[in-house]
Amino acid sequence: AQFAGYYVAKAKGFYDEESLNVTILPGGPDIAPTQVIAGGGADVVIDWMPSALAAREKGLPLVNIAQPFASSGLMLTCLKESGVATPADFKGKTLGVWFFGNEYPFLSWMSQLGLSTAEGGDVTVLKQGFNVDPLLQKQAACVSTMTYNEYWQVIDAGISPDDLVTFKYEEEGVATLEDGLYVMEDKLADPAFEDKMVRFVKASMKGWKYAEANPD
């Protein structure tokens, strides 16, 4: 569901209608989109705004050309039995976190709570893959989930919502925008590339609107 718009646009021929030949490359817990685009491995990448900002600060001239997701879907999902009822209870707990740029909202939140994430600090940070195994195997009190994705993996694994406590970054005041479309600034200077990206965004958003209207 997280990438539905792009898959739908490809499957429904919306990219073809815009004379685009689109190849969708898989991401993953060990793939940093910023590194892929820096190395010329993609024309456009899907990335989170804090990751893109950090990359730009380090000299990689990324530009956001579209922001399909208007709000954050990031949450920490915790097992109630672990004793976490409020953010104050994170102290002394192991928390699952995604890296490669996705960790910045988490680090910002811990900083606001006054909790050290350094080794031997107030919370133990577990580098999490794009799954919820650490929660299911009780290696972590809480794991990172998206409202539309990994949270449902927890539910599908047989855990009742009543046995979970969720903290939405949006509600904690530490949310940033996820899943924007980013390109290299210098490539945008080429009118032909810019035109191609306009057509790509148009077809992609047509895919998203179709997915919204036809969730099945």
Side-chain angles (χ1 to χ4, degrees), residues 149-171:
N149 191 339
E150 290 82 7
Y151 174 77
W152 299 101
Q153 292 178 20
V154 179
I155 302 302
D156 287 346
I159 296 177
S160 162
D162 297 338
D163 295 326
L164 297 169
V165 181
T166 58
F167 301 96
K168 291 185 178 177
Y169 280 59
E170 196 78 48
E171 290 167 6

Side-chain angles (χ1 to χ4, degrees), residues 1-24 44-46 65-69 179-183 195-213:
Q2 182 170 357
F3 309 105
Y6 312 105
Y7 287 116
V8 168
K10 191 165 168 68
K12 290 281 170 193
F14 299 158
Y15 291 134
D16 295 337
E17 287 169 16
E18 295 291 343
S19 306
L20 295 170
N21 178 11
V22 175
T23 303
I24 298 176
V44 55
V45 290
I46 296 170
I65 58 165
Q67 186 59 50
F69 282 54
D179 285 23
L181 295 175
Y182 292 86
V183 302
D195 174 65
K196 197 193 293 187
M197 288 301 107
V198 168
R199 287 180 282 130
F200 175 73
V201 170
K202 184 179 165 190
S204 297
M205 293 315 295
K206 191 174 175 184
W208 274 117
K209 291 302 174 195
Y210 187 96
E212 269 182 344

Side-chain angles (χ1 to χ4, degrees), residues 60-99:
L60 187 71
L62 283 183
V63 178
N64 179 314
I65 58 165
Q67 186 59 50
F69 282 54
S71 59
S72 169
L74 185 60
M75 304 191 289
L76 268 187
T77 295
C78 312
L79 286 173
K80 206 172 266 184
E81 68 182 54
S82 67
V84 176
T86 72
D89 302 321
F90 290 150
K91 193 168 184 177
K93 301 288 193 292
T94 297
L95 311 176
V97 180
W98 293 315
F99 278 76

Side-chain angles (χ1 to χ4, degrees), residues 75-76 87 90 103-115 167-169 172-174:
M75 304 191 289
L76 268 187
F90 290 150
E103 73 274 24
Y104 296 115
F106 170 80
L107 295 174
S108 162
W109 187 13
M110 293 303 113
S111 170
Q112 288 189 24
L113 292 172
L115 297 173
F167 301 96
K168 291 185 178 177
Y169 280 59
E172 298 296 332
V174 288

